[in-house]
Amino acid sequence: DAKTTQPPSMDCAEGRAANLPCNHSTISGNEYVYWYRQIHSQGPQYIIHGLKNNETNEMASLIITEDRKSSTLILPHATLRDTAVYYCIVRPYSGAGSYQLTFGKGTKLSVIP
Amino acid sequence: DAGVIQSPRHEVTEMGQEVTLRCKPISGHDYLFWYRQTMMRGLELLIYFNNNVPIDDSGMPEDRFSAKMPNASFSTLKIQPSEPRDSAVYFCASSLLAGLYNEQFFGPGTRLTVL
């Protein structure tokens, strides 16, 4: 079973920031938070991951709360091409289970012109 | 790099027929994964290989499903005999053992329809 809870859908105006929340209250100390997205009719795509510090890359920013029980993926300036299903996944960085991605239902983000 | 390559992209077959899905992982990657995606069950991991050896096949639904990886650059997922409930999109993904993010790279998928 997926260890995360996400809202089923969200809308965001084009050009605005999209903030996608994720709850992972049972996360363990050796588990990272990963985000993937799946654009319609394509395979999932890695976005970003983090342990406890905030992370930023060319695609997005990841904010993890101090207790690590929740996180937020931020797309700073959403475009129509960001319309996709976004999956929040927790997995250990090494050892047993580290190579398995367990996908939940994700959040369907619709970017509106 | 061409990324993960899957073939065919679409397959339509009749119940009872054998179906073979193919995957070419990214060169140099140590891990290969097969996933299935349906509306009802979402994305499910079926099996994964490390250095061509199956590590965990607990997600394979039943004996009608089998997967092989004869070499580092090729894997197959076979369904025999196929049933309508096997209709789904099947994804292959690969990753590098020592990859910085253990990131999995997914192929475009094979959409299977069993009539």
Side-chain angles (χ1 to χ4, degrees):
Chain A
D1 293 332
K3 298 181 180 180
T4 62
T5 304
Q6 300 177 252
S9 64
M10 293 182 63
D11 292 339
C12 177
E14 187 178 19
R16 304 297 293 271
N19 296 280
L20 292 94
C22 179
N23 287 320
H24 31 79
S25 58
T26 61
I27 192 169
S28 300
N30 71 333
E31 288 181 320
Y32 280 62
V33 179
Y34 283 76
W35 284 82
Y36 279 71
R37 75 179 183 183
Q38 187 174 21
I39 296 171
H40 182 62
S41 298
Q42 297 183 20
Q45 174 192 24
Y46 167 85
I47 301 173
I48 197 168
H49 81 289
L51 180 62
K52 56 182 179 180
N53 299 318
N54 298 337
E55 302 288 344
T56 296
N57 63 20
E58 66 279 4
M59 291 182 67
S61 294
L62 175 60
I63 309 297
I64 302 174
T65 58
E66 190 170 347
D67 63 8
R68 303 211 318 124
K69 293 185 177 181
S70 65
S71 60
T72 301
L73 179 74
I74 301 173
L75 308 179
H77 305 285
T79 71
L80 298 179
R81 288 178 296 180
D82 293 321
T83 293
V85 178
Y86 287 77
Y87 297 98
C88 171
I89 300 165
V90 296
R91 63 189 273 211
Y93 189 71
S94 62
S98 62
Y99 285 94
Q100 300 182 40
L101 290 175
T102 302
F103 289 85
K105 296 186 181 298
T107 296
K108 181 173 175 53
L109 175 68
S110 298
V111 180
I112 302 168
Chain B
D1 198 321
V4 176
I5 299 172
Q6 292 187 246
S7 65
R9 293 294 310 276
H10 302 273
E11 176 80 30
V12 179
T13 190
E14 293 187 345
M15 182 174 62
Q17 296 298 306
E18 177 180 296
V19 175
T20 299
L21 311 181
R22 297 173 175 80
C23 174
K24 177 179 170 53
I26 293 173
S27 177
H29 279 192
D30 307 272
Y31 283 78
L32 183 138
F33 307 81
W34 283 100
Y35 290 86
R36 177 173 68 174
Q37 186 171 36
T38 62
M39 289 294 293
M40 291 296 294
R41 300 176 65 90
L43 265 163
E44 304 173 281
L45 177 66
L46 300 178
I47 184 172
Y48 75 94
F49 295 82
N50 175 216
N51 290 324
N52 313 338
V53 177
I55 302 301
D56 186 350
D57 65 354
S58 60
M60 297 285 264
E62 47 196 280
D63 292 344
R64 297 184 297 106
F65 286 69
S66 62
K68 295 182 180 180
M69 192 165 185
N71 57 62
S73 60
F74 184 66
S75 177
T76 60
L77 178 68
K78 185 177 293 186
I79 308 172
Q80 167 62 21
S82 59
E83 297 182 1
R85 60 192 168 125
D86 301 330
S87 297
V89 180
Y90 291 81
F91 290 102
C92 175
S94 69
S95 69
L96 182 62
L97 173 62
L100 182 62
Y101 307 129
N102 288 347
E103 175 185 354
Q104 291 185 20
F105 294 83
F106 284 77
T110 295
R111 181 173 296 276
L112 173 65
T113 302
V114 183
L115 303 174

